Amino acid sequence: MKRLLVFLMTLCMLTGLCSVGVYAEESLQGQEEGWVMEPSMVTKLIVRSASAVNGKIYVLGGKTNNNSTVVDSDIDIFDTKTQTWTSGAPMNTARANFATVTIGNYIYAISGEIYNSKRTNTMERYDTISNTWTMLEPLSIPRHGHRAVSVGSKIYVIGGYDSNSNYLNSVEIYDTETHTWSKGLPMPTARMLMGAVYVDGKIYVIGGVNKNEYFTKVEIFDLSSGTWSEGEPMPTKRGMCSSALVGNEIFVFGGNSNSTNVDVYDIKTNKWRQESSLNIARGFLDVVNTNGRIYAIGGDSNFTMESLKVNDSTSTEKRLFVLLNIGETVQLSITKNLSDNANFTWRSINESIATVDAHGRVIAVAEGDTEIYAENADGTFKEYISIKVVAGSADETRLATYLRQGEKIRLYLSDDPSTVTWRSMDESIATISETGQVTAIKNGLVIIQGELEGETYLFYVRVVSA
């Protein structure tokens, strides 16, 4: 079953906004269930940190074992499409047990453990396009075992363990535009090696450890009110864990006993459930969510990686993206009446890539992938659509366009038109010939389907008034 552009075929391209592209991406793993082992890391290090940008996973730093006083600056880069590892430019500061966050094409490496088990307050930024590092303003407190989340153009650095053997509840906030630090409201509970994610104006801090105490606590910071509150405790006590956001759910992995079980927290219902168990027990791991899969990476005793298919409830082999240039805008809608959008909650899971306002209007900010979610108040309707933002011109890769009534356009799938079978799903809006020529008839949105060598391709055409 092909997944259409959800939202009741409601990708509404309003006059004056943009011609939206749809990009179909293949899944290499197919339709398997449960966790799948991926190619192991090239560099044999542990206690590393990972981030994902544009379908590539960047695994940074680390050390050879838990007792080692020598740390590393290497970067391993895993391409989720080709399933291959390559290397990137090493960090300026070798470090382990640190935090990374992604904003646009940049990865920020923050604080951490350095040589002889000391802590550093340094921070540096990696440009994934130019493969270069830039040193930035340091934190006020050197720490390791902390967590960090990005909120728009700001980075929140939370908790950890300092050079005086103190467990921290402090929060430091870095503004990537002004390159300045400020202090945030401390957490109620000092801890390190916990999970942390940002979603819907709130930062969720889950689990962690303080001395010999492992926590089930969920503490939630509301950015609008500037206050901390508590959520439903996690079923499993966890330290040395990591977390990832998938839609409205937070997946929490690993722990003090190198656990394989995975706890999942629903931020809407404040309830927990369990997900498929990992193949390999992992502590001190890191996790990323990219291209519809969660990747559990490394740990304190192995260099392996495994992944779990998430997000797409229809389990299709292709995922469809709205394709935008940086700076472009597109209007999404639940119904044909745009005023209905105000009755839904709209959210981008990565506002550094694309933002969405309360009426479903999306603005492309930086190159990368994100997802836009829409949900009604009682949770009976929840859908998402993927957004891919590209630098430069997206025109060469667009698989969707709009035409004025009477205009024609030729679609292309093969040098030999006889090998392609074309069909319009609504010939009252637009027709297509055997050679792929589309003729716009009347206003509306139509899907043009092309079949080539057993594969089905969908092209979206919006017809507007002449």
Side-chain angles (χ1 to χ4, degrees):
M1 174 181 174
K2 294 291 177 180
R3 180 184 179 90
L4 302 185
L5 263 188
V6 300
F7 296 115
L8 191 64
M9 291 283 294
T10 55
L11 179 61
C12 296
M13 292 171 279
L14 302 183
T15 303
L17 293 180
C18 72
S19 171
V20 175
V22 178
Y23 171 78
E25 179 173 286
E26 293 285 356
S27 167
L28 296 179
Q29 290 85 354
Q31 300 186 32
E32 84 291 336
E33 295 182 0
W35 289 89
V36 176
M37 297 305 299
E38 302 280 356
S40 295
M41 290 180 284
V42 176
T43 307
K44 307 303 182 183
L45 298 169
I46 64 171
V47 199
R48 312 188 76 185
S49 189
S51 286
V53 179
N54 295 333
K56 293 183 179 180
I57 300 172
Y58 296 76
V59 187
L60 300 84
K63 57 184 182 178
T64 54
N65 59 68
N66 281 328
N67 298 319
S68 175
T69 59
V70 179
V71 295
D72 202 273
S73 60
D74 284 352
I75 301 180
D76 291 337
I77 305 171
F78 181 71
D79 190 319
T80 59
K81 291 183 180 179
T82 64
Q83 300 279 287
T84 56
W85 287 95
T86 55
S87 298
M91 292 182 287
N92 292 307
T93 302
R95 61 185 87 207
N97 209 352
F98 60 106
T100 56
V101 296
T102 300
I103 298 180
N105 291 315
Y106 295 121
I107 297 173
Y108 294 77
I110 306 163
S111 203
E113 178 184 344
I114 55 174
Y115 63 92
N116 292 331
S117 300
K118 296 180 179 179
R119 283 88 185 169
T120 181
N121 65 346
T122 61
M123 180 170 70
E124 52 190 302
R125 184 186 69 193
Y126 179 65
D127 187 325
T128 60
I129 302 299
S130 64
N131 189 34
T132 56
W133 286 95
T134 302
M135 297 301 298
L136 301 173
E137 290 296 313
L139 292 78
S140 64
I141 301 175
R143 61 184 80 199
H144 82 280
H146 52 289
R147 296 295 183 253
V149 298
S150 60
V151 180
S153 62
K154 295 183 178 180
I155 299 170
Y156 285 69
V157 181
I158 305 163
Y161 190 75
D162 70 11
S163 300
N164 298 315
S165 301
N166 296 313
Y167 290 85
L168 302 174
N169 66 348
S170 62
V171 177
E172 298 191 49
I173 307 168
Y174 182 73
D175 189 318
T176 61
E177 295 180 348
T178 63
H179 302 290
T180 57
W181 286 96
S182 60
K183 291 184 178 180
L185 184 68
M187 288 187 296
T189 305
R191 61 183 117 171
M192 66 183 295
L193 299 172
M194 60 283 192
V197 302
Y198 166 76
V199 58
D200 283 350
K202 297 178 181 179
I203 297 172
Y204 294 77
V205 182
I206 303 171
V209 60
N210 185 318
K211 297 181 180 177
N212 294 321
E213 182 179 4
Y214 295 90
F215 296 119
T216 61
K217 290 184 178 182
V218 177
E219 293 179 342
I220 307 167
F221 182 69
D222 189 320
L223 274 69
S224 61
S225 65
T227 58
W228 286 94
S229 63
E230 289 194 6
E232 179 70 16
M234 182 168 46
T236 309
K237 290 184 177 182
R238 296 181 189 269
M240 292 85 85
C241 59
S242 193
S243 58
L245 178 68
V246 181
N248 290 323
E249 294 186 319
I250 302 170
F251 286 58
V252 188
F253 309 78
N256 50 297
S257 60
N258 287 339
S259 175
T260 60
N261 74 312
V262 179
D263 290 323
V264 182
Y265 178 70
D266 190 315
I267 65 172
K268 297 298 184 182
T269 64
N270 192 33
K271 300 295 184 182
W272 288 90
R273 67 176 179 85
Q274 284 207 324
E275 183 53 81
S276 301
S277 295
L278 294 163
N279 291 311
I280 297 176
R282 301 172 188 272
F284 291 100
L285 76 164
D286 207 352
V287 296
V288 298
N289 178 10
T290 185
N291 283 350
R293 304 188 73 86
I294 291 178
Y295 292 80
I297 304 162
D300 58 356
S301 60
N302 72 82
F303 319 110
T304 64
M305 180 171 68
E306 54 189 295
S307 71
L308 176 71
K309 186 176 179 63
V310 292
N311 288 337
D312 193 348
S313 60
T314 59
S315 298
T316 60
E317 293 182 354
K318 294 178 183 294
R319 295 192 298 118
L320 295 175
F321 292 79
V322 175
L323 187 64
L324 298 174
N325 293 136
I326 295 173
E328 281 191 320
T329 302
V330 64
Q331 177 69 53
L332 303 179
S333 185
I334 302 300
T335 70
K336 294 180 179 179
N337 185 356
L338 293 181
S339 63
D340 290 343
N341 286 345
N343 299 323
F344 293 80
T345 299
W346 295 86
R347 174 171 60 86
S348 170
I349 67 170
N350 190 342
E351 293 181 338
S352 68
I353 302 298
T355 62
V356 61
D357 66 14
H359 302 283
R361 190 167 184 262
V362 178
I363 300 177
V365 176
E367 187 175 5
D369 298 335
T370 187
E371 289 166 355
I372 304 298
Y373 280 78
E375 184 174 6
N376 61 1
D378 62 10
T380 56
F381 176 93
K382 181 173 69 174
E383 267 294 4
Y384 77 93
I385 194 165
S386 298
I387 304 290
K388 178 180 284 290
V389 181
V390 297
S393 174
D395 289 338
E396 292 182 0
T397 50
R398 290 197 192 280
L399 297 183
T401 188
Y402 70 81
L403 300 175
R404 299 189 184 279
Q405 291 178 14
E407 287 185 334
K408 297 181 179 181
I409 187 174
R410 185 174 300 280
L411 300 180
Y412 171 87
L413 279 180
S414 170
D415 290 332
D416 183 0
S418 67
T419 62
V420 183
T421 301
W422 294 103
R423 182 169 70 92
S424 170
M425 294 189 178
D426 190 341
E427 293 188 341
S428 68
I429 296 175
T431 61
I432 186 165
S433 69
E434 292 181 354
T435 59
Q437 180 173 279
V438 178
T439 302
I441 307 298
K442 71 175 185 180
N443 288 9
L445 178 65
V446 62
I447 296 177
I448 303 295
Q449 178 177 296
E451 293 186 1
L452 174 64
E453 296 177 350
E455 291 290 329
T456 300
Y457 300 85
L458 303 180
F459 298 79
Y460 292 77
V461 176
R462 166 69 68 184
V463 179
V464 297
S465 300

